[in-house]
Structures are given as C-alpha cells and as structure tokens.
Amino acid sequence: MQNYKNLCRLLAKYYVCTLLMFCYRVKTYNQRQQLAPVLDNLRSLGKRIGFVPTMGALHMGHISLVDKALKQNDVVVVSIFVNPTQFNNEEDLKKYPRTLDRDVKMLGEKGENIILYVPSVEDLYGNNVVSGHFAFDGLERQMEGRFRPGHFDGVGTVVSRFFEIVKPGKAYFGKKDFQQLRIIETMVKNLKLPIKIIGCEIHREKDGLAMSSRNERLKPNYRDAAPFIFKTLKAAKKRFGTESAYKVTEWVRDQFAGHELLKLEYFVIADEETLQPVARKSRSKSYRAFIAVFADDIRLIDNIALN
Ligand code: AMP
C-alpha cells in the first residue's frame, strides 16, 4: 500500500513537472545524472554558467538575483530545494512555503536561458540526510549560527553539493542573508573553488520590509507590524553616526521591549568582514547591524550597512 502511494506521488510529481515544463518552457531537471551532462555540454561550448540557489516560494528578491545572473552569464541554473539539514526546527521545515507551479511560471517569464534544478532529498543526500562539519573562520559562531545550531553546517553541505553538480563560474547570494554570503565566500576561498561569489542587494517591499518567502505566512496584523523592523534599523543607522554601538543596541532593545507583536531575538552591530560584534568603533572598518525578530512563530531577519 505504502509503495503504491509512493508510486502515485512520484507519477503525480513527474506529471506536474512535465506539464509545467510544457506550458512555460523552463527546462527542469530533478536528477543530477540528467543535469550534469547538459551542463558539461554547455561548458564545452564555452557557455558561461551562473547559479542561483533558492528554497523556492520565489519573490522579487530571488528574481533580482536571477536578473543579475542572466546579465552576466549565458545560462543560469536556478535550484529550488528546501534543505532539511539547515533547519534546526522541525515545525519551521514543515511549514516552509512550497509553491513550485508559481515558481516555474515566474522563471518561465525570464526567458529561455534558465535551467531549473529541483532535486529530491535523495538526489542530493542519498540515504544519509546529515550535514558535514564546516569551520568558516569563526563566522559560523555569530548571530544565526548561535541561534540556529547546525544551520551553517547544513548550508555548507548543500551549497558545496550544488557547486559540485552545477560547477558554475559565478554564484549569486543575497545580502538579505549577509552572514550566509560571508560564509559562502569563505568556503570558496578556503576550498580554493574556481567560483566567483556575487553578493546582491536586499530587495524590499514598498514599506521597507525585506522580501522573504516567510512573509507569505504572516497574518495581516503581523504583516502590518513587520515594517517596524527596517524602520528601527534605519533609525539605528542614524544613531550610530554619533553614538556608541552599546548605546544604539540598548536603544533598539528598548524599542522592541514594549512592542505588542514583534519579539526581538537579537540585535548585533558587527564588523562586516569578521562578523565579530563591535566593541569600539574604528573609522577604517565597515559595520553592519543585524536583527532577528519573531512575528508570532515566524522568524524574520534583516540587516543594514551602517557606514
Ligand atoms: P532563500 O530561498 O530564502 O534560501 O533565498 C535564496 C537566495 O535569495 C539567498 O541568496 C537569499 O539571500 C536571496 N534572497 C532572499 N530574499 C532576498 C531579498 N529580499 N533580497 C535579495 N536577496 C534575497
């Protein structure tokens, strides 16, 4: 019975993928064995291959990465994969939005030069769904790494597997996940991979809220409250011009202390390069403020360059 159900699920997935491919002409691959020779062939023809890894539920933030990649490459591989090993919370993984048909349509509108890779967990991990252990020069111990144990081991594992399969010349990551971007840059440098990492600016809603797949899950009152996060970051930036990092941090904590809907998890002002929290400001360094906030059970992150 279970086998029969699995077979039906597989056939349904195959049918949906084929139908979507037909409708929107996005070349879609579910298996690395099928994708790799296609990319080998393109490489042998001298085509430049860009790569945009995503977890799907695409929005204009993702599309801004795809647009940049299309400008700089002949072919762009976009992956959609909700990576189980980077979630430290089972419920968060279960509730992560999955909108494959809509995603395929959005990518279809971007033209012919996109290849979509939607692997299964087995295709990337086989039967061993575990992370490797990575050290990223200590970058992994700050902020997201502290509050989401194992998160960056999962990210490092999945991104390095994708890099092995896709072998892109350039790969595109958003500054929305600035710590992740720094970590991937460090991984590529430490492993001496011949891949250029391109950081892309944060795409925001009109009211300032950083676009995120998780925003879809916000109830209306939480969605209305959420722009407060970026508003506070902008005010913190202004204060950082004249006040110490300590004072600005205290001020931000006060802003959230009395907030009815938004719960601050962390606010950190850190050196952009090392991601170490700033103790004393130096004119020669670049700083960035990082924030994580719970809106109900939905965790939102954002950041802003301070100088
Ligand atoms: P995700 O699907 O959330 O894993 O994101 C895939 C890629 O898109 C990551 O490199 C993110 O940093 C990037 N990204 C997500 N949201 C935004 C945004 N609002 N602006 C720019 N890049 C983004």
Side-chain angles (χ1 to χ4, degrees):
M1 190 60 187
Q2 192 57 38
N3 281 348
Y4 177 71
K5 272 190 189 157
N6 283 344
L7 182 68
C8 288
R9 248 183 243 136
L10 204 72
L11 284 172
K13 197 173 163 192
Y14 178 76
Y15 176 74
V16 169
C17 280
T18 312
L19 191 71
L20 292 171
M21 268 163 60
F22 180 74
C23 291
Y24 302 110
R25 283 190 286 154
V26 175
K27 296 158 225 108
T28 305
Y29 296 87
N30 303 115
Q31 289 175 10
R32 63 160 89 187
Q33 279 102 329
Q34 287 165 358
L35 175 68
V38 172
L39 297 178
D40 284 345
N41 184 42
L42 288 167
R43 253 186 304 275
S44 72
L45 296 170
K47 303 285 183 198
R48 295 164 303 167
I49 296 172
F51 178 45
V52 181
T54 82
M55 297 204 296
L58 299 183
H59 49 69
M60 292 315 289
H62 296 115
I63 296 300
S64 69
L65 270 59
V66 173
D67 284 338
K68 192 161 186 175
L70 281 168
K71 280 195 192 118
Q72 300 181 347
N73 300 276
D74 301 303
V75 175
V76 174
V77 178
V78 178
S79 63
I80 293 182
F81 180 65
V82 183
N83 175 33
T85 65
Q86 72 187 67
F87 283 79
N88 57 320
N89 177 332
E90 201 54 40
E91 203 55 22
D92 191 24
L93 171 62
K94 223 162 68 189
K95 288 187 178 160
Y96 198 85
R98 290 158 170 91
T99 59
L100 185 61
D101 47 354
R102 199 184 72 192
D103 296 349
V104 171
K105 186 164 184 274
M106 279 173 95
L107 293 172
E109 285 160 8
K110 290 281 137 197
E112 302 267 292
N113 298 331
I114 295 200
I115 291 179
L116 177 59
Y117 179 33
V118 191
S120 60
V121 172
E122 299 76 52
D123 194 50
L124 282 189
Y125 285 94
N127 293 325
N128 198 22
V129 190
V130 290
S131 305
H133 185 63
F134 289 82
F136 302 104
D137 301 353
L139 297 175
E140 74 284 4
R141 288 198 287 273
Q142 309 298 333
M143 300 169 301
E144 291 301 282
R146 280 185 54 206
F147 286 89
R148 300 183 70 186
H151 172 67
F152 287 121
D153 278 340
V155 170
T157 303
V158 81
V159 173
S160 55
R161 288 215 180 144
F162 274 126
F163 282 175
E164 278 162 31
I165 297 165
V166 178
K167 300 186 183 72
K170 293 192 175 97
Y172 297 77
F173 291 84
K175 292 186 186 176
K176 159 82 167 40
D177 302 280
F178 192 86
Q179 189 174 8
Q180 169 176 277
L181 167 65
R182 289 285 304 111
I183 275 176
I184 301 297
E185 284 171 345
T186 304
M187 182 177 91
V188 163
K189 186 186 78 192
N190 290 352
L191 298 176
K192 298 190 172 63
L193 301 177
I195 301 170
K196 189 159 186 220
I197 302 301
I198 313 283
C200 305
E201 292 308 319
I202 303 176
H203 219 73
R204 299 182 179 279
E205 302 287 354
K206 281 206 179 75
D207 57 17
L209 176 64
M211 288 190 181
S212 163
S213 305
R214 288 189 165 88
N215 293 353
E216 294 192 12
R217 292 189 47 232
L218 290 169
K219 290 186 195 125
N221 53 337
Y222 287 94
R223 174 62 189 82
D224 289 346
F228 183 74
I229 300 168
F230 185 53
K231 202 172 145 220
T232 309
L233 282 182
K234 279 194 296 184
K237 176 180 176 139
K238 206 163 166 207
R239 284 172 178 263
F240 190 71
T242 53
E243 293 177 15
S244 69
Y246 176 79
K247 272 193 101 173
V248 176
T249 305
E250 288 297 296
W251 179 80
V252 170
R253 286 188 184 143
D254 281 351
Q255 301 311 297
F256 281 92
H259 203 288
E260 270 181 28
L261 296 175
L262 304 175
K263 302 273 165 285
L264 182 67
E265 184 173 52
Y266 66 73
F267 173 83
V268 175
I269 295 179
D271 181 321
E272 263 197 10
E273 193 59 26
T274 62
L275 301 185
Q276 293 284 338
V278 54
R280 179 178 282 220
K281 284 195 245 179
S282 151
R283 278 181 190 280
S284 61
K285 290 191 169 161
S286 299
Y287 298 107
R288 200 168 267 266
F290 297 86
I291 195 165
V293 169
F294 276 98
D296 205 2
D297 61 337
I298 298 157
R299 192 170 177 278
L300 303 173
I301 59 169
D302 201 349
N303 65 82
I304 192 168
L306 294 178
N307 59 337

